């Protein structure tokens, strides 16, 4: 469920977000309700993820209304997982209380860095001092905490990154996501890079930072269960594992993506168009595509290889109808010999070396 409103548009972000149009929030909630009503009847779900945007940018009463709408149309299984994304400076005690009241059990906090200079390059709205109190608020309400961090930011040294990881660990999160900075076309950061106003880190430096995260978080007992994600035992994100298994999921809201009955579709990213169509009871889907079975199998291979559990041959065949080895042939053996993949006969997964160059390995495999 996508909520596009943010206090401010960060320099690296190319999600479907809007800043400075808060007067549209109530209409957006009407539109989401109208989009959900097209389901016809409530659909029980095992996991929910409310992201954006910044869902916690909404006022407590707006958040309460949104969560009531979700409970009406997408009732959560009693043992379900319900995650909400939040920015540290938007998480007041009353908003956390609203989340807890509606059964949210995880909060994913966009910390990104504990260094003011790094946050300034990323054009984040919050200061480092806002992160620890936000974590404490979530903890006091009995919810799990996941922290997002970004590495490879211009000006960030290996020592800065180590300090970020150590500060994050000192807050004892249940889960950590570490993302290498990407320069998405059209973002302010991409433009600055093109004009030579900032110097990106070298690939070698980024790799060293990634390896440091693997070492440090591994030493502290975190399981590296997906290329960018680390969790304490039993605290993996169940929701995101659906994506990495290539199983079906719904999606609602501006720019939301879904994968239902083998059809991938995305909603419009135009806020005015979304509001108009949803409120008129029309479809807000911008594009959809039915994948051929072999394409679906290849896509399954790509996403499952992101997991440290990798691809389980028998489950892969059951899910896709294809035999893994027939799809990729001798390229698998070559990549195993080169030390990028591990194959025990049942599972195929990336080695540590393979994780460092995962995109290239997947490209060669296909
Ligand atoms: S707060 Fe998150 S969603 Fe909003 S602009 Fe920044 S990075 Fe994008």
């Amino acid at each position: 469920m996508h909520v596009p409103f943010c206090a401010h548009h960060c320099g690296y972000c190319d999600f479907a977000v809007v800043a400075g149009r808060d007067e549209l929030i109530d209409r957006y909630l009407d539109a989401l309700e109208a989009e959900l009503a097209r389901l016809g009847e409530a659909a029980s779900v095992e996991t929910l993820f409310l992201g954006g945007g910044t869902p916690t940018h909404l006022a407590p009463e707006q958040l309460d209304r949104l969560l009531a709408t979700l409970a009406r149309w997408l009732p959560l299984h009693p043992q379900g997982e319900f995650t909400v994304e939040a920015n540290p400076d938007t998480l007041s005690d009353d908003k956390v209380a609203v989340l807890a009241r509606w059964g949210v059990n995880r909060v994913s906090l966009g910390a990104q860095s504990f260094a003011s200079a790094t946050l300034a390059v990323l054009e984040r709205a919050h200061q480092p001092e806002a992160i620890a109190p936000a974590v404490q608020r979530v903890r006091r309400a009995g919810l799990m905490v996941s922290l997002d961090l970004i590495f490879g930011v211009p000006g960030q040294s290996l020592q800065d990154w180590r300090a970020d990881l150590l500060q994050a660990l000192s807050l004892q999160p249940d889960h950590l996501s570490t993302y290498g900075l990407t320069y998405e076309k059209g973002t302010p950061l991409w433009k600055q890079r093109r004009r030579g106003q900032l110097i990106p880190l070298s690939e070698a430096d980024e790799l060293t930072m990634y390896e440091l995260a693997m070492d440090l978080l591994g030493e502290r007992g975190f399981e590296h269960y997906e290329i960018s994600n680390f969790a304490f035992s039993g605290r993996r994100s169940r929701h995101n594992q659906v994506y990495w298994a290539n199983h079906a999921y719904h999606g609602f809201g501006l720019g939301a993506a879904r994968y239902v009955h083998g059809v991938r579709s995305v909603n419009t990213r135009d806020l005015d168009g979304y509001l108009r169509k949803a409120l008129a009871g029309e479809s807000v889907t911008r594009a959809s595509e039915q994948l051929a079975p072999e394409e679906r199998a290849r896509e399954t291979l790509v996403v499952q290889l992101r997991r440290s559990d990798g691809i389980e041959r028998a489950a892969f065949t059951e899910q896709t109808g294809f035999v893994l080895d027939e799809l990729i042939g001798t390229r698998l053996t070559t990549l195993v010999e080169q030390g990028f993949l591990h194959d025990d006969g049942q599972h195929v997964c990336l080695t540590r070396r393979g994780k460092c160059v995962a995109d290239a390995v997947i490209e060669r495999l296909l």
Side-chain angles (χ1 to χ4, degrees):
M1 178 71 58
H2 188 85
V3 176
F5 300 96
C6 288
H8 149 94
H9 199 150
C10 307
Y12 60 95
C13 179
D14 82 331
F15 297 135
V17 299
V18 282
R21 296 191 71 187
D22 292 0
E23 73 283 0
L24 294 178
I25 293 176
D26 288 318
R27 271 188 79 206
Y28 185 79
L29 297 183
D30 293 340
L32 264 182
E33 204 162 344
E35 189 190 355
L36 282 161
R38 285 172 63 88
L39 283 171
E41 59 183 31
S44 169
V45 293
E46 288 172 29
T47 65
L48 273 169
F49 197 104
L50 182 57
T54 313
T56 50
H57 179 64
L58 271 52
E61 48 291 353
Q62 292 170 324
L63 202 52
D64 188 62
R65 185 186 156 200
L66 170 60
L67 293 170
T69 304
L70 273 177
R72 154 82 178 86
W73 289 104
L74 301 172
L76 187 65
H77 186 274
Q79 270 81 48
E81 178 192 270
F82 191 170
T83 309
V84 173
E85 277 185 338
N87 280 334
D89 55 346
T90 58
L91 211 52
S92 59
D93 276 330
D94 21 344
K95 289 186 196 176
V96 176
V98 172
L99 299 181
R101 193 163 65 240
W102 285 105
V104 172
N105 43 35
R106 289 171 82 101
V107 171
S108 174
L109 267 180
Q112 318 309 2
S113 175
F114 291 81
S116 311
T118 306
L119 292 175
V121 174
L122 295 172
E123 298 181 22
R124 295 287 303 184
H126 70 273
Q127 291 301 316
E129 299 74 44
I131 302 170
V135 171
Q136 283 147 14
R137 267 183 213 116
V138 175
R139 271 274 148 65
R140 276 201 300 273
L143 317 185
M144 280 197 241
V145 179
S146 177
L147 293 177
D148 282 3
L149 296 174
I150 296 182
F151 63 91
V153 180
Q156 188 184 36
S157 67
L158 187 62
Q159 286 70 27
D160 295 335
W161 174 234
R162 181 190 296 277
D164 275 348
L165 288 167
L166 290 173
Q167 291 214 53
L169 285 167
S170 73
L171 298 174
Q172 300 181 308
D174 301 279
H175 185 280
L176 271 163
S177 303
T178 63
Y179 299 108
L181 178 65
T182 53
Y183 297 84
E184 302 299 336
K185 195 169 177 197
T187 58
L189 221 61
W190 175 83
K191 288 178 190 158
Q192 287 173 38
R193 176 186 173 163
R194 211 173 49 150
R195 290 190 212 112
Q197 290 167 332
L198 55 79
I199 302 164
L201 259 58
S202 70
E203 278 191 12
D205 285 346
E206 270 192 47
L207 194 55
T208 313
M209 288 178 164
Y210 181 55
E211 296 213 58
L212 177 65
M214 285 198 277
D215 290 339
L216 208 56
L217 300 178
E219 279 164 22
R220 301 297 180 94
F222 279 82
E223 182 193 12
H224 189 187
Y225 74 106
E226 192 270 348
I227 289 176
S228 304
N229 286 276
F230 301 82
F232 264 131
S233 177
R235 306 200 193 155
R236 295 178 177 196
S237 161
R238 282 168 55 193
H239 186 86
N240 287 340
Q241 286 185 108
V242 171
Y243 300 137
W244 303 321
N246 214 20
H247 289 152
Y249 53 91
H250 286 281
F252 300 91
L254 189 73
R258 67 189 68 79
Y259 183 40
V260 182
H261 304 311
V263 178
R264 285 202 175 282
S265 56
V266 285
N267 283 353
T268 176
R269 286 176 69 124
D270 164 33
L271 180 59
D272 294 318
Y274 174 82
L275 294 175
R276 197 179 57 249
K277 286 189 175 170
L279 292 170
E282 295 170 17
S283 164
V284 288
T285 301
R286 175 173 60 88
S288 60
E289 162 183 48
Q290 170 99 51
L291 295 180
E294 185 169 339
E295 274 179 283
R296 223 187 296 174
R298 287 177 181 275
E299 200 185 48
T300 303
L301 181 157
V302 170
V303 290
Q304 292 194 352
L305 212 50
R306 296 187 61 88
R307 317 179 295 191
S308 51
D309 298 338
I311 304 167
E312 212 257 303
R313 279 188 166 85
F316 182 85
T317 302
E318 195 178 323
Q319 182 177 342
T320 67
F322 285 81
V323 175
L324 182 67
D325 300 80
E326 289 172 7
L327 267 186
I328 51 184
T330 55
R331 294 184 293 273
L332 172 60
T333 322
T334 312
L335 287 160
V336 169
E337 282 165 7
Q338 290 170 341
F340 294 113
L341 290 175
H342 175 72
D343 181 2
D344 66 5
Q346 277 187 322
H347 299 86
V348 175
C349 59
L350 291 165
T351 59
R352 178 181 167 105
R353 192 166 167 223
K355 282 178 185 164
C356 294
V357 287
D359 289 344
V361 173
I362 289 168
E363 208 172 292
R364 279 168 62 186
L365 199 55
L366 290 175

